[in-house]
Amino acid sequence: MVSQDLRAKYLGYLRFELSLSDNTCAAYLADVDKLLGWMEREALPLEQLDYSQLQHFVAQLYDLGIHPNSIARVISGVRSFGRWLELEGYVAADPTTLLEVPRKGRYLPTVLTTEEVDRIIEAARSRGGIEGLRNAAFIELLFSCGLRVSEACHLRFADTFLDEGYIRVLGKGSKQRLVPLSDSAIRELRRYLVHPDRPTPKRGEEEYIFLSARGKAISRITVFVYIKEAAAAAGVEKNISPHTFRHSFATALLEGGAGLQAIQLLLGHEDVATTEIYTHIDRTRLREQVERYHPRNQQPKD
């Protein structure tokens, strides 16, 4: 049987050799655990794992009614595991080489209109008090800047330049990018930050912009809950999550005529490794893309 020690070594490979995030490591392990659990039930030793056995494993996933997109993700994780087994000499040849990923259906993400975003922000604000201001500012930042929810949750004062009109974002793989702030985002952030009822941060949490009522950096779960509540209160019946605002940001720019390269850069999809590289990017050109094409910058000034 496959030992827990082998599993731990694979986790170490993901974490230290590939430098994957904790969430990505957990996802890979969850996929591999499905295979290992099946092997245990079948009393199948590691050295007997071959392409034929893997076909039986995948067939079982289909029999369980798992969606092809989810099966494709599991196979992706299993193939990574197979490559590692060969690399470390546990098997003579990678048994997953010929394993095919099922064709995925086209996925069209949910997108919000600017009017729907406005209603959700107002519903969040109507919660009242400092939480209402915080939630409204957070949602505005997601929509105006296209941030991932984890990026917004961990936004720091040191990376926020309201007078200059941009933020520095730490994205996946510890890559940094500069993102212009719309006037709406600046206004919402200032309303929240200057409010006297903003919680006193706990020790070690002083650097974060968005705080929970207990003074700690706000969690993704908290954001997910209040966004769902605000959407329901606003009468928006679409199934949305914090990531929906990122999709809506990109869609608004694309439909407005912005170039794909600028959108990819703003979303953090470019292969940029260090902050120094960003200092050589023409920030004025990026700002012009957002100011010209994003609906938040096509509104009358206050």
Side-chain angles (χ1 to χ4, degrees):
M1 293 296 95
V2 178
S3 68
Q4 288 298 311
D5 181 60
L6 184 69
R7 184 181 183 277
K9 289 180 179 178
Y10 179 57
L11 175 59
Y13 166 74
L14 295 175
R15 182 171 291 160
F16 302 115
E17 294 294 327
L18 299 186
S19 300
L20 300 181
S21 68
D22 289 343
N23 288 341
T24 303
C25 288
Y28 271 84
L29 280 181
D31 296 334
V32 170
D33 282 342
K34 290 180 175 63
L35 172 64
L36 300 184
W38 175 80
M39 291 174 62
E40 184 173 356
R41 291 190 297 273
E42 296 292 320
L44 180 68
L46 181 63
E47 58 269 17
Q48 293 183 16
L49 181 64
D50 57 19
Y51 176 63
S52 176
Q53 296 291 349
L54 287 168
Q55 284 184 309
H56 289 299
F57 166 67
V58 174
Q60 185 197 50
L61 298 179
Y62 279 104
D63 290 341
L64 293 173
I66 298 176
H67 193 279
N69 286 1
S70 297
I71 293 177
R73 192 204 64 240
V74 172
I75 291 176
S76 178
V78 167
R79 289 172 70 174
S80 173
F81 183 60
R83 289 191 294 271
W84 177 78
L85 289 175
E86 181 182 16
L87 181 67
E88 294 297 316
Y90 289 105
V91 295
D94 179 2
T96 71
T97 301
L98 299 178
L99 202 58
E100 295 183 354
V101 176
R103 186 181 297 276
K104 295 183 181 181
R106 183 176 295 276
Y107 169 66
L108 297 177
T110 300
V111 173
L112 297 167
T113 66
T114 305
E115 187 268 338
E116 287 173 327
V117 173
D118 287 339
R119 282 160 48 196
I120 292 172
I121 290 174
E122 287 308 313
R125 197 195 320 280
S126 68
R127 182 186 184 105
I130 189 62
E131 285 192 6
L133 292 177
R134 179 201 65 192
N135 297 351
F138 195 100
I139 296 173
E140 181 61 61
L141 197 68
L142 293 179
F143 178 59
S144 287
C145 298
L147 302 186
R148 299 177 179 94
V149 63
S150 59
E151 294 171 346
C153 286
H154 295 100
L155 183 64
R156 306 178 304 171
F157 282 100
D159 297 321
T160 305
F161 308 92
L162 297 185
D163 291 338
E164 293 82 1
Y166 71 93
I167 54 176
R168 183 170 52 214
V169 181
L170 182 64
K172 288 185 176 181
S174 298
K175 297 173 184 175
Q176 298 185 49
R177 67 187 189 275
L178 299 179
V179 180
L181 287 167
S182 70
D183 290 337
S184 296
I186 294 172
R187 184 166 56 248
E188 295 290 351
L189 281 169
R190 281 183 166 148
R191 284 174 179 169
Y192 166 61
L193 292 174
V194 303
H195 198 281
D197 292 336
R198 184 174 179 271
T200 300
K202 294 285 187 182
R203 185 174 182 179
E205 306 286 318
E206 297 89 351
E207 63 182 335
Y208 296 115
I209 294 284
F210 294 105
L211 299 176
S212 68
R214 295 180 297 174
K216 301 184 68 175
I218 193 170
S219 71
R220 294 184 297 174
I221 298 300
T222 298
V223 173
F224 184 88
V225 170
Y226 77 63
I227 281 180
K228 287 286 189 181
E229 291 176 348
V236 176
E237 298 180 354
K238 296 176 180 177
N239 184 22
I240 71 170
S241 70
H243 210 68
T244 304
F245 296 93
R246 180 170 161 87
H247 290 311
S248 303
F249 165 83
T251 301
L253 286 175
L254 186 62
E255 291 181 348
L260 286 177
Q261 185 176 10
I263 296 173
Q264 290 172 352
L265 185 55
L266 289 163
L267 290 175
H269 290 165
E270 291 290 321
D271 188 16
V272 182
T274 63
T275 305
E276 286 74 20
I277 294 177
Y278 279 104
T279 63
H280 295 91
I281 294 174
D282 184 355
R283 293 206 303 265
T284 301
R285 180 177 57 82
L286 282 180
R287 172 171 291 282
E288 287 174 350
Q289 291 283 310
V290 177
E291 290 181 348
R292 181 175 180 183
Y293 297 118
H294 196 281
R296 274 291 184 253
N297 295 295
Q298 297 171 11
Q299 301 172 351
K301 306 283 187 179
D302 286 349

